[in-house]
């Protein structure tokens, strides 16, 4: 299938209120440009090096998201242009993003990445930690950061009930935090599980291989 067919196929499965984040990691600048030309404006990468190489070569109105684990010492390289950092998994990182955003006289949008998968995943906040960070944000810590929502990844499994259970946990956390301070984005679901994520309340999905095709190496 062509990029255009893949893209149309995904778009038609998304309800109007669900944002599509096109995950372009490992794919070429020309493939990204092509998908941009279909009207896609939001793209995500998981590596600082790669996003730094690609973004100067592509249209200025692309909203770049970072979705991979981010080391604090690398925040400075993306602080000037990144639209949203979806993978905030520690207070230390949030502090650093706040500091670098201030240096650039801007606000950076972030999502708190919450650990919901049963499998042993290295990154992500415990629910209590996310709650705690959000409380600090509401109290005025991190003035150059805007926590706009939550991000989560389900266990890599064929068991739909397991995936559903994990997404539902995050949806509940989202609902609870949203009562304290309005949140916009619940980012869950990738190529293989985005329909389940939407069923469970996601309003943003991160789709890579179903648009761009398989990646040559796993990331
Ligand atoms: C790679 C990646 C995706 C997209 O995965 P696909 O299965 O290719 O759609 C989504 N979210 C994160 C955090 C990723 O690293």
């Amino acid at each position: 299938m062509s990029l255009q067919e893949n893209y149309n196929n995904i778009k038609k499965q998304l309800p109007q209120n669900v944002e599509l984040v096109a995950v372009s990691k490992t794919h070429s600048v020309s493939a990204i440009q092509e998908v941009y030309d279909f009207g896609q404006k939001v793209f995500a990468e998981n590596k600082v090096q790669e996003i730094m190489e690609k973004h100067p070569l592509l249209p200025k109105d692309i909203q770049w998201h970072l979705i991979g684990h981010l080391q604090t010492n690398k925040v400075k390289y993306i602080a000037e242009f990144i639209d949203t950092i979806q993978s905030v998994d520690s207070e230390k990182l949030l502090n650093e993003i706040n500091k670098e955003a201030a240096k650039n006289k801007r606000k950076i949008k972030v999502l708190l990445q919450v650990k919901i998968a049963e499998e042993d995943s290295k990154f992500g906040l415990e629910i209590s930690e996310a709650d705690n960070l959000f409380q600090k944000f509401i109290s005025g810590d991190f003035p150059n950061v805007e926590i706009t929502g939550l991000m989560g990844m389900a266990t890599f499994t064929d068991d739909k009930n397991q995936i559903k259970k994990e997404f539902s946990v995050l949806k509940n956390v989202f609902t609870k935090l949203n009562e304290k301070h309005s949140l916009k984005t619940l980012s869950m679901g990738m190529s293989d599980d985005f329909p389940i994520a939407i069923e469970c309340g996601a309003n943003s999905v991160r789709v890579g291989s179903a648009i761009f095709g398989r990646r040559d190496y796993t990331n």
Side-chain angles (χ1 to χ4, degrees), residues 90-138:
S90 73
E91 180 162 2
K92 187 170 161 236
L93 178 59
L94 196 55
N95 262 320
E96 183 67 16
I97 295 169
N98 184 60
K99 196 182 92 192
E100 291 297 329
K103 273 192 202 161
N104 285 279
K105 300 187 169 56
R106 61 185 296 246
K107 244 185 196 195
I108 295 177
K109 287 180 273 184
V110 307
L111 305 183
L112 300 179
Q113 181 176 354
V114 180
K115 212 184 281 183
I116 50 170
E118 200 156 84
E119 67 191 359
D120 198 24
S121 46
K122 276 180 290 181
F123 303 116
L125 298 155
E126 299 297 337
I127 292 170
S128 60
E129 293 174 317
D131 193 48
N132 188 16
L133 274 189
F134 193 60
Q135 204 56 255
K136 289 186 178 182
F137 162 70
I138 296 171

Side-chain angles (χ1 to χ4, degrees), residues 23-29 32 44-51 53-54 190 208-209 212-219:
V23 178
S24 50
K25 65 189 185 197
T26 77
H27 294 287
S28 68
V29 164
I32 300 171
E45 294 280 340
N46 69 336
K47 292 205 160 87
V48 168
Q49 182 67 33
E50 199 170 336
I51 205 168
E53 284 167 16
K54 287 173 175 176
M190 326 197 328
S209 42
F212 290 99
R214 280 184 48 192
R215 289 179 291 274
D216 293 338
Y217 52 98
T218 45
N219 243 285

